[in-house]
Amino acid sequence: MNELENNFYNIIESNNELIKIFNFIKYFNNNILLYSNNGFPLDLFINELIKKKFNISSIYKKESIWDKNITYYENKYFFEINLIDPNSCKNYELLTNFIGYLVKIRNIYNEKHLVIIKHIDFFNEQFSILKILLEKYSSNVYFICTTFKISNIENAIISRFTYFRIPQFKTHEIELIFNKILNKKFNKILSKSNCRNLIFAIFISEIEDKEPHLITEEFCNLKFPPLLDLIKKFNKKKNNLDDIRKMSYYCFQYNITISDILNDYIYIVKNIDINIIEKAAELDHKLNLTNKGRHPIYIEAFLCYILL
């Protein structure tokens, strides 16, 4: 990943869509929401934005802790909170209190504070408090936020941002990145399936170097390969609800969504009933409206629907 990080601005510059967005927002001092699909390295995109915005060659971030609970990163240019960091506080009400504390402090280096919040969709039930912060302290702070799930963010929050869709790389662009920057061969299975997920392609490449026997068509095309055995070999007489429940928790632990499970089911079974797609959409919608901790319950409900 070092080669990718060191050359990421060159990648942005060579891509017409990305450089247009980049040049438009690099000196933008209002709230920005960047969203994309899984597989685009938004972290690297933001790093390059920060470098250009503050005319610096590298980024150093100090890890800090507020009120013994909240881990965040800071330097004289910005504060950063990553909501999917394992060390990140999961008490989102406390997090909004922390952001409120930050934005009240006068900035001695710049006109406004910059607060970067990665994976803002995880705020979920605290969006109402965040909305107040966005409105009340706009003269003292601006936010750069990211998400891979913009549908999980309330419209009232999105409307407080200028938002930009960051397009995924096309397959031939990923192939160029592999050949010219990473000095590796792009996996043939991924090329054949028109993979646009750069992070996944790098992951497959690393496995191919160390454990080439693991690289199969299913491994490369499924979102969660362990589902293959469960779906193909599930027997109502031999398997039971406990097997489904265990798989539900595995999916939850690896951040596998109902949409991911549906995609894998379609790949494995090929022809499926339209009712299954409708059920997935219904459960996914209900999940988006409820607490993230209930995720395994909704996954279990969908697995029961397709297997029992």
Side-chain angles (χ1 to χ4, degrees):
M1 285 289 282
N2 285 340
E3 294 91 346
L4 183 67
E5 188 173 351
N6 294 337
N7 290 278
F8 201 70
Y9 180 71
N10 295 331
I11 294 171
I12 294 171
E13 198 173 33
S14 65
N15 185 297
N16 289 334
E17 288 182 87
L18 290 178
I19 196 63
K20 281 180 185 176
I21 297 170
F22 186 90
N23 286 336
F24 183 78
I25 64 179
K26 64 183 176 183
Y27 299 122
F28 207 68
N29 286 345
N30 293 317
N31 298 330
I32 295 170
L33 175 61
L34 304 177
Y35 70 98
S36 188
N37 292 323
N38 277 316
F40 185 91
L42 282 176
D43 288 3
L44 298 185
F45 189 86
I46 288 179
N47 284 350
E48 296 307 322
L49 271 178
I50 297 298
K51 288 177 191 176
K52 293 295 179 184
K53 181 183 283 289
F54 297 108
N55 193 27
I56 54 178
S57 58
S58 58
I59 296 175
Y60 168 76
K61 296 180 286 190
K62 181 181 77 172
E63 183 178 294
S64 301
I65 296 175
W66 182 78
D67 197 29
K68 300 180 182 178
N69 286 299
I70 296 177
T71 301
Y72 66 101
Y73 300 88
E74 65 174 325
N75 56 30
K76 70 177 185 178
Y77 304 107
F78 62 87
F79 300 99
E80 180 186 299
I81 304 166
N82 186 348
L83 297 182
I84 65 164
D85 188 323
N87 295 322
S88 174
C89 174
K90 302 308 180 216
N91 182 337
Y92 297 124
E93 186 174 357
L94 190 59
L95 270 171
T96 50
N97 292 340
F98 166 62
I99 295 168
Y101 161 78
L102 284 182
V103 300
K104 290 173 187 175
I105 302 170
R106 185 179 175 186
N107 192 320
I108 61 173
Y109 296 107
N110 300 293
E111 185 181 342
K112 289 182 177 183
H113 288 295
L114 168 57
V115 178
I116 298 170
I117 304 177
K118 297 179 178 178
H119 305 279
I120 191 177
D121 50 286
F122 274 75
F123 265 121
N124 201 3
E125 295 176 0
Q126 299 302 321
F127 277 140
S128 57
I129 301 173
L130 183 61
K131 183 170 69 173
I132 294 168
L133 292 173
L134 289 169
E135 292 173 348
K136 189 173 181 180
Y137 298 103
S138 58
S139 61
N140 192 41
V141 65
Y142 65 104
F143 293 83
I144 296 178
C145 299
T146 69
T147 182
F148 290 110
K149 297 178 181 178
I150 195 167
S151 61
N152 289 5
I153 302 174
E154 295 176 5
N155 288 333
I157 294 295
I158 294 174
S159 67
R160 267 69 183 176
F161 290 88
T162 302
Y163 54 96
F164 299 88
R165 177 185 171 273
I166 308 299
Q168 280 190 308
F169 293 110
K170 296 179 178 66
T171 306
H172 73 271
E173 291 170 338
I174 293 179
E175 202 156 352
L176 281 173
I177 291 169
F178 266 77
N179 293 336
K180 293 188 174 182
I181 292 171
L182 303 179
N183 295 315
K184 288 187 171 188
K185 286 186 178 180
F186 184 44
N187 180 272
K188 291 180 180 178
I189 298 171
L190 296 183
S191 178
K192 182 182 174 183
S193 63
N194 294 318
C195 172
R196 299 185 65 182
N197 186 326
L198 175 60
I199 302 302
F200 183 69
I202 292 171
F203 166 71
I204 289 295
S205 171
E206 289 173 352
I207 292 180
E208 204 165 17
D209 288 343
K210 297 169 185 174
E211 304 283 348
H213 63 281
L214 292 176
I215 305 300
T216 63
E217 195 163 330
E218 287 82 7
F219 190 89
C220 291
N221 286 310
L222 292 173
K223 301 281 186 183
F224 195 53
L227 284 169
L228 180 67
D229 277 348
L230 181 73
I231 291 171
K232 275 194 166 183
K233 298 177 181 178
F234 191 85
N235 185 312
K236 291 180 183 178
K237 293 180 180 178
K238 294 180 180 178
N239 300 98
N240 56 36
L241 189 58
D242 284 341
D243 298 314
I244 293 176
R245 189 158 291 159
K246 285 177 187 175
M247 182 58 69
S248 301
Y249 276 99
Y250 286 144
C251 290
F252 174 65
Q253 288 169 345
Y254 288 93
N255 202 27
I256 300 300
T257 65
I258 291 173
S259 176
D260 292 334
I261 296 169
L262 175 64
N263 286 332
D264 282 0
Y265 187 74
I266 292 171
Y267 179 84
I268 295 165
V269 178
K270 308 302 180 189
N271 298 316
I272 69 165
D273 193 314
I274 189 67
N275 291 330
I276 291 176
I277 298 174
E278 290 175 352
K279 189 66 176 179
E282 175 197 329
L283 289 169
D284 197 47
H285 177 67
K286 287 180 178 177
L287 174 57
N288 287 338
L289 298 176
T290 189
N291 189 292
K292 295 286 181 186
R294 296 178 64 82
H295 202 144
I297 296 171
Y298 285 88
I299 292 175
E300 182 182 324
F302 183 58
L303 287 175
C304 286
Y305 185 82
I306 61 178
L307 294 173
L308 296 178

